[in-house]
C-alpha cells in the first residue's frame, strides 16, 4: 500500500462521535444570528470603550461631576463672582487659619491700650537714647581703667616721676643669675685669681703652642 493511499487520521472527536468545537461554535453563532439582531461587522482595530472606573462600578457619580453640580446649584441660587485666577487668590496666613490675630496687630493693640490708660511719652529717636550703663556703674564702682589712672597719678605725686620713655628706647639687658644673687661672675673671678698669681710670682713669657716640647711617655707617667 502506498503512503498516499493511507486514510486520513481520525481525531478524538470523531472517535467519540461528537462534533468538533469549531463547528459546534459556528452552529451556535448561526442560531444566535437567526434568532436575534446581528450587529455590524467590527474590525479588531476599532476603538473600544475604555475600562469603567471605580465610580461607575459602584454606581456612584464621579467627584468632578458632583462638584460641578454643586457649584452650578450655588451659582443658580446666589451671586456668581467673576472668574478668578489661582495667582490672584490671596494665600491665608497661619494666624488666619487658626483664627488668631497677627502678633504685630496684637502688640499694637496692647501698646494702644497702654497709651490710653497711662502717660504716653514723646517720640524718641534712637540717636537720642542715653548710653548703656555698664556693670561698674550698676555696682557703684569706678571703671578699672579710671582706677588704674588714679593709682598712677597718686604714685607720680607722692614720689619721683621718671622721664617719658618711648617704647622703642633701648632697655637694659636682663640681669644674669650672678647679678641676681650678688656674686661675682666666674669669668671675672678667674681673671682676678690669675692676675693675683702673676703679681705674686714669676710671669713667663708668652709661649706658642708650636714651641712647647712634646713630653715622653716616661714624663707622662
Amino acid at each position: 500500500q502506498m503512503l498516499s493511499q493511507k486514510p486520513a487520521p481520525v481525531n478524538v472527536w470523531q472517535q467519540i462521535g461528537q462534533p468538533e468545537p469549531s463547528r459546534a461554535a459556528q452552529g451556535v453563532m448561526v442560531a444566535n444570528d437567526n434568532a436575534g439582531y446581528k450587529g455590524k461587522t467590527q474590525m479588531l482595530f476599532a476603538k473600544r470603550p475604555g475600562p469603567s472606573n471605580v465610580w461607575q462600578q459602584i454606581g456612584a457619580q464621579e467627584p468632578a461631576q458632583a462638584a460641578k453640580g454643586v457649584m452650578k446649584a450655588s451659582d443658580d441660587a446666589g451671586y456668581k463672582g467673576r472668574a478668578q485666577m489661582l495667582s490672584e487668590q490671596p494665600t491665608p496666613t497661619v494666624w488666619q487659619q487658626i483664627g488668631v490675630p497677627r502678633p504685630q496687630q496684637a502688640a499694637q493693640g496692647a501698646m494702644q491700650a497702654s497709651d490710653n490708660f497711662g502717660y504716653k511719652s514723646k517720640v524718641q529717636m534712637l540717636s537720642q537714647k542715653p548710653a548703656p550703663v555698664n556693670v561698674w556703674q550698676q555696682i557703684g564702682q569706678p571703671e578699672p581703667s579710671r582706677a588704674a589712672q588714679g593709682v598712677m597719678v597718686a604714685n607720680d605725686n607722692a614720689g619721683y616721676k621718671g622721664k617719658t620713655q618711648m617704647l622703642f628706647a633701648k632697655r637694659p639687658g636682663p640681669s644674669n643669675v650672678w647679678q641676681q644673687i650678688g656674686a661675682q661672675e666666674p669669668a671675672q673671678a678667674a681673671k682676678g685669681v690669675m692676675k693675683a698669681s702673676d703679681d705674686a710670682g714669676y710671669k713667663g713669657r708668652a709661649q706658642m703652642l708650636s714651641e712647647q716640647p712634646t713630653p715622653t711617655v716616661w714624663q707622662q707617667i
Side-chain angles (χ1 to χ4, degrees):
Q1 189 179 14
M2 301 299 291
L3 292 177
S4 58
Q5 298 177 358
K6 293 179 74 174
V10 179
N11 58 24
V12 66
W13 306 105
Q14 293 177 354
Q15 292 177 0
I16 62 176
Q18 296 294 333
E20 294 184 6
S22 58
R23 295 181 180 177
Q26 289 179 357
V28 171
M29 289 188 289
V30 169
N32 292 338
D33 291 339
N34 295 334
Y37 172 75
K38 183 178 181 180
K40 67 183 182 66
T41 303
Q42 189 179 24
M43 302 302 291
L44 293 176
F45 57 83
K47 188 175 180 181
R48 295 182 176 84
S52 60
N53 54 27
V54 65
W55 308 106
Q56 295 176 352
Q57 293 175 5
I58 63 175
Q61 193 177 15
E62 294 186 7
Q65 295 178 354
K68 287 181 181 179
V70 172
M71 289 188 290
K72 187 175 186 305
S74 300
D75 292 338
D76 294 340
Y79 171 75
K80 182 177 181 180
R82 67 179 182 82
Q84 189 178 24
M85 303 300 291
L86 292 176
S87 58
E88 298 176 1
Q89 294 181 2
T91 304
T93 63
V94 65
W95 310 107
Q96 293 175 348
Q97 293 176 5
I98 62 177
V100 176
R102 293 185 179 181
Q104 296 89 344
Q105 296 176 353
Q108 289 178 358
M111 290 189 289
Q112 182 68 34
S114 300
D115 292 338
N116 295 335
F117 178 76
Y119 172 74
K120 183 177 181 181
S121 60
K122 68 181 183 68
V123 178
Q124 189 179 29
M125 302 299 291
L126 293 175
S127 59
Q128 297 176 356
K129 283 188 172 182
V133 180
N134 58 24
V135 66
W136 307 106
Q137 293 176 352
Q138 292 176 1
I139 63 177
Q141 297 293 331
E143 294 185 7
S145 58
R146 294 183 181 176
Q149 288 177 359
V151 172
M152 289 188 289
V153 168
N155 293 337
D156 291 339
N157 295 333
Y160 171 75
K161 183 177 181 181
K163 67 181 182 69
T164 304
Q165 189 180 26
M166 302 303 290
L167 293 175
F168 57 83
K170 187 175 181 181
R171 296 180 175 84
S175 60
N176 56 27
V177 66
W178 309 106
Q179 294 175 354
Q180 292 176 4
I181 63 177
Q184 196 177 15
E185 294 185 8
Q188 295 178 357
K191 286 180 181 179
V193 172
M194 288 187 291
K195 186 176 186 303
S197 299
D198 292 338
D199 294 339
Y202 171 77
K203 183 177 181 181
R205 66 179 181 83
Q207 189 179 24
M208 301 301 291
L209 293 176
S210 59
E211 296 177 359
Q212 293 182 3
T214 304
T216 64
V217 66
W218 307 110
Q219 292 174 347
Q220 293 178 3
I221 62 174

